[in-house]
Amino acid sequence: MAKYYLGIDLGGTNIAAAVIDETHHFIAEHKTPTLSRRPFEAVVADMAQAGRQALAKAGISPQELEHVGIGVPSNINPHNRHMVFANNLGWTNKDIIGEFKKHMDVPVYLANDADCAAYGEALAGAAENYNSVLMLTLGTGVGGGIILDKKIFLGGNGFGCEPGHTIIVTEGQLCTCGRKGCLEAYASVTALIRDTICAMAAAPASMMHQMCGGDMTRVNGRTAFDAAKQGDAAGSLVVQNYIHYLAVGISNYITLLRPEVIILGGGISNEGENLLAPLRKQAYGLLYAGDLIPETPIIKAALGNDAGIVGAAFLGKQYE
């Protein structure tokens, strides 16, 4: 008899839910806007509703599920399973499992969204053939997940790891977490847009102005990369700086952990080798004993936005 799982990914922009079978195949999915400024309870109610919509499309009842898994942008308290701090949502110490079960009384598992993405890639994506993995998701923030022996590594106290909030520049740019100099403050899409706008203000002749029609609000994570490909000096400098800071963070992670592979996901990873080739060169050049120890592959994620949903859906297997 087929087994079915429901994965839910809570993002800052959208809530995505999908029914997945035991072979990691998507049966049905549903998305809805997060509208995160609303009360916590309203957002969770919509998460449950998104799950019900996906189940209805699949023709499956909640009672037929093995379990529900939810990925959220927060550390998880291992003692009470509450969200500790979702800095991009403004939530602290929230009982998302208890609130969700008011709407759908099924077994529910919870994990950090970046951990879920790393787990999804380890189960069915770019890291399927690796046992030790570090994944960074380069999106609105910088999420990070570590997989050891096909299990999410949560650290010695179980509160999880936050590679995106390791400091790479002391007293640097202010991060959304409230500290200064985090990798997220330099390698997120948010940081890339900030630096692109600053570069455009300093370079009125840059083609980046034409690319966004002179409207700074239209600048996105592709603007500097697209300009750099056409030889624009200001765009090239933004990209070079971006890759430098990302390389600093990655070189530290490799030196500390020596994972079998580093995987990059999120929107910026879609730049492919335009990002990866110079990134590898810089990161490898910063490694301790880099010329004596085999290089850790740095590759693009394979599942895109589906990685977090796949990982969330199978969270129950972490406890088998």
Side-chain angles (χ1 to χ4, degrees):
M1 183 176 177
K3 294 182 178 180
Y4 300 104
Y5 307 83
L6 178 63
I8 298 176
D9 182 36
L10 172 62
T13 303
N14 290 306
I15 297 164
V19 180
I20 304 175
D21 69 17
E22 56 196 318
T23 66
H24 312 126
H25 175 69
F26 277 53
I27 306 300
E29 55 189 313
H30 185 79
K31 292 183 180 180
T32 190
T34 304
L35 305 176
S36 61
R37 297 302 178 187
R38 297 178 297 156
F40 162 76
E41 294 80 5
V43 175
V44 176
D46 276 359
M47 291 170 64
Q49 180 60 21
R52 288 190 178 280
Q53 291 284 350
L55 286 167
K57 292 177 182 179
I60 295 169
S61 70
Q63 291 71 35
E64 293 177 83
L65 291 171
E66 297 295 310
H67 61 256
V68 175
I70 302 174
V72 295
S74 170
N75 296 88
I76 308 302
N77 186 316
H79 307 297
N80 60 18
R81 307 308 298 165
H82 288 189
M83 295 171 64
V84 176
F85 175 45
N87 54 289
N88 288 318
L89 294 174
W91 296 353
T92 302
N93 192 33
K94 293 296 186 181
D95 180 13
I96 197 166
I97 292 178
E99 189 66 29
F100 186 88
K101 286 174 74 72
K102 292 178 182 178
H103 305 278
M104 192 183 299
D105 191 15
V106 294
V108 180
Y109 295 91
L110 186 69
N112 172 268
D113 56 356
D115 285 341
C116 289
Y119 187 42
E121 290 287 345
L123 288 176
E128 193 173 4
N129 296 319
Y130 297 95
N131 289 315
S132 62
V133 181
L134 187 144
M135 180 175 176
L136 294 177
T137 53
L138 308 174
T140 303
V142 175
I146 300 171
I147 304 297
L148 296 178
D149 295 325
K150 295 296 184 182
K151 299 285 187 180
I152 297 172
F153 177 68
L154 295 174
N157 62 10
F159 277 83
C161 307
E162 286 286 350
H165 292 286
T166 51
I167 293 174
I168 61 167
V169 179
T170 57
E171 295 303 311
Q173 293 281 352
L174 182 66
C175 183
T176 56
C177 73
R179 302 182 308 150
K180 292 182 178 180
C182 293
L183 180 66
E184 178 168 302
Y186 291 88
S188 63
V189 173
T190 306
L192 182 57
I193 291 172
R194 176 200 67 214
D195 292 347
T196 301
I197 291 173
C198 288
M200 290 170 64
S206 169
M207 66 175 59
M208 292 189 288
H209 291 279
Q210 288 75 42
M211 286 181 168
C212 62
D215 183 358
M216 294 288 197
T217 65
R218 292 174 57 189
V219 172
N220 58 41
R222 298 185 303 274
T223 304
F225 276 93
D226 288 346
K229 291 169 195 172
Q230 297 184 47
D232 183 78
S236 296
L237 184 59
V238 171
V239 170
Q240 290 168 19
N241 287 335
Y242 176 84
I243 290 174
H244 165 72
Y245 288 117
L246 183 56
V248 170
I250 287 176
S251 69
N252 287 334
Y253 305 144
I254 294 176
T255 297
L256 179 65
L257 299 170
R258 298 290 176 184
E260 290 178 278
V261 66
I262 299 276
I263 298 179
L264 299 184
I268 298 176
S269 70
N270 291 326
E271 289 296 327
E273 288 301 310
N274 287 321
L275 168 69
L276 293 173
L279 177 63
R280 292 186 192 106
K281 182 177 181 180
Q282 290 199 41
Y284 295 156
L286 293 169
L287 290 176
Y288 168 78
D291 56 339
L292 300 174
I293 299 174
E295 294 173 346
T296 297
I298 302 173
I299 63 176
K300 183 180 181 296
L303 299 180
N305 293 332
D306 290 342
I309 302 177
V310 172
F314 291 92
L315 283 175
K317 291 186 177 295
Q318 291 281 300
Y319 304 95
E320 291 179 353

